[in-house]
Amino acid sequence: MKDYDVAKIRNIALAGHNGSGKTSLAEALLYKAGITDRLGKTGDGTAVCDYDPEEVKRKISINTALASFDCNGLRVNLLDTPGLFDFASEMIEGIRASDTVLITVSAKSGVKVGARKAYDEAVKQGKSTMFAVTKIDDKDANFFNVLTELKTVFGPTVCPVVVPVVSNGKIVSYVNLIEMKAYKYDSNGNAVETEMPTAEISEKFEYRIDGLIGAVSEAVAETSDELMEKFFEGEEFTQKELIDGIHDGMNRGIITPVVCTSATELAGIDMLLKEFELLLPSPDEVAPAETDSGEVKCDVTEPLSAYVFKTVADPFVGKMSFIRVMSGTLSSNSDALNTNTGSTEKIGKLYNLCGKKQTEISSASAGEILVASKISANTGDTLCDASKSVKFNPMEFPHPCYSMAVKAKAQGDEAKISSSMQRLLEEDPTVTYAQDENTKEQILSGLGEQHIEVLVSKLKSKFGVDVNLTVPKIAYRETIRKKVKVEGKHKKQSGGHGQYGDVWIEFEPNPESEALVFEEKVFGGAVPKNYFPAVEKGLQESVEKGILAGYPVVNVKATLVDGSYHDVDSNEQSFKMAAHLAFKAGMEKADSIILEPISSVEIHAPEDKQGDILGDLNKKRGRIMGIGADELGCVVNAEVPTSEMGDYATDLKAMTQGLGWFSMEHARYEPAPSDVSAKVIADSKADEE
Ligand SMILES: Nc1nc2c(ncn2[C@@H]2O[C@H](COP(=O)(O)OP(=O)(O)OP(=O)(O)O)[C@@H](O)[C@H]2O)c(=O)[nH]1
Ligand SMILES: [Mg+2]
């Protein structure tokens, strides 16, 4: 077991828009570091970081993969996160474990929403940031357009470090603005030094190299008064000053360096590895982590504290907990206190991971990232030495907003689905699975269509259960609008004992209470007292199914006012039946209607999308309750019929390119408009047939 010098550790999360080249970049880094002997490709199962069958099948990343490797004395822990917003929890977890977030931006597609989301999350979590402009080999690549865009979107902290020299649309060389050297790459990604473009040449090459050099110096000057003074005096910075300045600026969040790479042609990859060492902060340089009881510094001599940032449920191997050691040393076959549960965890085997490849280790120290098998800790838990109990701050995840109803394909699989689902819930904090009280359906909720699809796919491949998905039923209700007085008489004479129960009941609307309110105002013992509970029970059973479409009846008050009985033939059952009959008669006369659920919805979106959002809500029969502002842009509060919100996660994603998000909760019931009501009634009839 190696003990890593914490100053040599770099924890890097790769994040960015989906398909911007994160996994390919990870493959190129692993290949150039000599870890793989063949350059892995995403989508064909050869990528170290996209090894999950779901990822191979879909040709996208779904999970955050950990690839730990050594390269020239440096210990790199790469966390390759998925770009698709449906898997946002994985990105948040990957970023949490890192010190630097390397954000990929395609040289051909430019700055997309995914880059902004990754950057915002990195800043929120206090991580350093760096941009890799990927796919620089693509014929439509335009590095300088993207650089300008990066500066526009992310501001003056953006600082070019490696730029291509382009002539007639072709890359002539790559200039490292810190080293002030230019390189060409052979087919195996080996750098060959070449001539630096002179000022005149670079001008012909569509940009001015001295302008870029000036930009680096300017950024570095911002990092200290001393350097600023030097800058103003017109003195050139030494290479060491540039490196230390960027290193310091990154760690303080005031410099975001930009490099360019081609994963397929392996260009700029060796330089990126070198920059990891020179520019990125090591775990002991970053700000101490916050806990419920003060800060924890990355210090191996302190008692153990570690954070579980991700869990994977595997039916064969058991649970795998991804852990970042924050202080001290985590050892195999030891005890650790789980501060979130209060229980003691038996730490068994520990592993280093490189994709799916596991290497058993005996311990890991502050700053390292590793995996523990078969411990009970969940995502977000803190493990620590019992002598110094701390709890790290939790991560914040988006709320599930896209729901489907789940039904077992094979009868009898329900219990298995529920237990397998529990395992998947442990993996993913952005999923919920619960029974809808009203419709009795099992509802699976996540962040989007692909998210739910992948969960269902995992249920099948990992746990062997097959389910069908349907659009969740809407919990409609029925009520009455008129006060009526009706009789329910149950009378049967069939030899021996007969049955006799007779009630007069007043039904009236009662907005005060959703649940049935029962009263009795019987005079002179027309219905004996001992039958009142039976009458009430009969009514309680009846309101579960309305006469229009079989939905529960709400907001009704029933008063038993009169009736009659028979000395011999009356019994509880007969009065219950009489109540049923009275209910049916009452509902028919009392102007029954369908009520539809209304949800309170809060939508967060960029300012310029406000018009689209309001227009769409209008189409959905929504009522705008208020418009405010937040850091993203606008906040719209509205009340919308729940039945219109089924696809809102998808609609909002499309309207805001994935930037918007929303939450909703049941507000109340309202009479459904006649067309909706007619459809609900027709659908219920169709279901019965
Ligand atoms: N020409 C070219 N294509 C690239 C390069 N890097 C990635 N690609 C292609 O871009 C596509 C997406 O690459 P991935 O590496 O899977 O992207 P990703 O960012 O990991 O995607 P997600 O994890 O699903 O968000 C694939 O078809 C790659 O072959 C590159 O340097 N040059
Ligand atoms: Mg990927």
Side-chain angles (χ1 to χ4, degrees), residues 17-69:
H17 202 73
N18 65 294
S20 57
K22 297 171 289 294
T23 306
S24 303
L25 183 56
E27 294 307 314
L29 289 162
L30 288 164
Y31 180 77
K32 278 310 287 175
I35 307 304
T36 51
D37 46 22
R38 202 162 78 101
L39 182 63
K41 285 203 176 67
T42 58
D44 68 358
T46 59
V48 170
C49 292
D50 275 359
Y51 59 87
D52 186 314
E54 288 296 327
E55 298 180 313
V56 178
K57 183 167 99 190
R58 293 165 201 269
K59 296 191 184 354
I60 54 166
S61 300
I62 290 170
N63 311 305
T64 284
L66 169 62
S68 301
F69 62 93

Side-chain angles (χ1 to χ4, degrees), residues 534-657:
V535 174
E536 182 172 6
K537 184 133 194 284
L539 292 174
Q540 292 292 7
E541 282 172 8
S542 297
V543 294
E544 282 171 21
K545 238 175 159 208
I547 58 156
L548 294 177
Y551 289 102
V553 178
V554 296
N555 301 116
V556 170
K557 181 174 165 191
T559 314
L560 175 63
V561 288
D562 204 353
S564 62
Y565 70 101
H566 188 276
D567 278 340
V568 180
D569 291 347
S570 280
N571 56 23
E572 285 182 6
Q573 183 59 23
S574 302
F575 272 97
K576 215 167 97 176
M577 291 304 293
H580 281 301
L581 294 173
F583 175 80
K584 193 154 180 289
M587 293 304 105
E588 272 161 15
K589 282 174 75 178
D591 198 5
S592 282
I593 52 159
I594 298 281
L595 296 175
E596 66 173 345
I598 306 292
S599 291
S600 299
V601 186
E602 183 168 301
I603 304 151
H604 297 249
E607 190 77 57
D608 61 337
K609 298 290 185 270
Q610 187 175 307
D612 295 352
I613 305 271
L614 298 182
D616 178 66
L617 285 173
N618 196 29
K619 269 192 257 158
K620 292 180 156 61
R621 303 187 284 129
R623 263 194 306 262
I624 310 302
M625 310 302 286
I627 298 174
D630 71 352
E631 65 280 1
L632 176 64
C634 62
V635 184
V636 177
N637 283 288
E639 288 189 349
V640 192
T642 312
S643 60
E644 301 280 349
M645 291 297 290
D647 279 332
Y648 201 64
T650 316
D651 294 351
L652 185 62
K653 236 181 240 179
M655 277 188 287
T656 62
Q657 282 85 47

Side-chain angles (χ1 to χ4, degrees), residues 123 245 321 656:
V123 171
S321 306
T656 62

Side-chain angles (χ1 to χ4, degrees), residues 16 55 74 86 163 178 195 200 208 263 280 335 352 363 458 465 468 488 519 543 576 590 631:
E55 298 180 313
L74 202 66
D86 282 25
V163 299
I178 301 176
E195 232 175 295
E200 301 96 90
R208 293 167 62 93
L280 271 52
D335 285 346
N352 274 153
S363 66
K458 274 190 192 170
V465 279
N468 280 328
E519 273 181 17
V543 294
K576 215 167 97 176
E631 65 280 1

Side-chain angles (χ1 to χ4, degrees), residues 170-383:
K170 284 222 153 42
I171 296 176
V172 181
S173 62
Y174 295 83
V175 173
N176 184 318
L177 298 169
I178 301 176
E179 287 181 25
M180 287 308 294
K181 280 182 181 163
Y183 298 92
K184 279 181 193 296
Y185 285 92
D186 69 11
S187 62
N188 223 1
N190 295 321
V192 183
E193 200 181 334
T194 180
E195 232 175 295
M196 269 296 272
T198 59
E200 301 96 90
I201 294 171
S202 76
E203 207 156 347
K204 257 196 280 167
F205 286 164
E206 299 156 22
Y207 64 95
R208 293 167 62 93
I209 202 90
D210 48 354
L212 292 168
I213 296 165
V216 179
S217 303
E218 218 174 303
V220 167
E222 292 286 344
T223 61
S224 80
D225 291 345
E226 207 182 312
L227 292 172
M228 185 58 97
E229 212 167 293
K230 197 169 170 182
F231 179 72
F232 272 127
E233 278 161 16
E235 257 185 85
E236 263 184 34
F237 291 137
T238 64
Q239 196 168 316
K240 187 169 183 314
E241 278 169 333
L242 288 175
I243 290 170
D244 292 349
I246 297 177
H247 182 102
D248 177 42
M250 270 190 88
N251 199 17
R252 286 163 49 200
I254 53 172
I255 292 185
T256 305
V258 183
V259 299
C260 60
T261 57
S262 163
T264 40
E265 299 192 353
L266 295 169
I269 306 298
D270 58 345
M271 280 200 256
L272 185 53
L273 280 167
K274 220 186 296 170
E275 280 134 20
F276 283 173
E277 176 168 14
L278 298 176
L279 307 182
L280 271 52
S282 57
D284 59 337
E285 289 174 314
V286 302
E290 283 171 28
T291 76
D292 62 340
S293 45
E295 294 178 329
V296 166
K297 264 192 6 220
C298 175
D299 185 343
V300 70
T301 62
E302 288 286 312
L304 165 74
S305 67
Y307 189 70
V308 180
F309 63 91
K310 171 183 158 74
T311 18
V312 174
D314 189 302
F316 304 109
V317 190
K319 195 148 129 184
M320 310 247 290
S321 306
F322 286 61
I323 298 172
R324 163 141 180 184
V325 185
M326 306 302 291
S327 65
T329 301
L330 181 67
S331 303
S332 58
N333 305 317
S334 65
D335 285 346
L337 172 70
N338 181 333
T339 6
N340 295 73
T341 62
S343 59
T344 301
E345 299 266 3
K346 292 255 168 260
I347 307 291
K349 290 191 172 174
L350 301 177
Y351 302 92
N352 274 153
L353 274 197
C354 192
K356 65 178 165 192
K357 187 168 164 244
Q358 306 181 344
T359 313
E360 197 173 334
I361 52 172
S362 56
S363 66
S365 302
E368 288 182 52
I369 298 175
L370 75 158
V371 166
S373 67
K374 293 180 186 149
I375 59 171
S376 56
N378 283 324
T379 303
D381 286 358
T382 298
L383 301 174

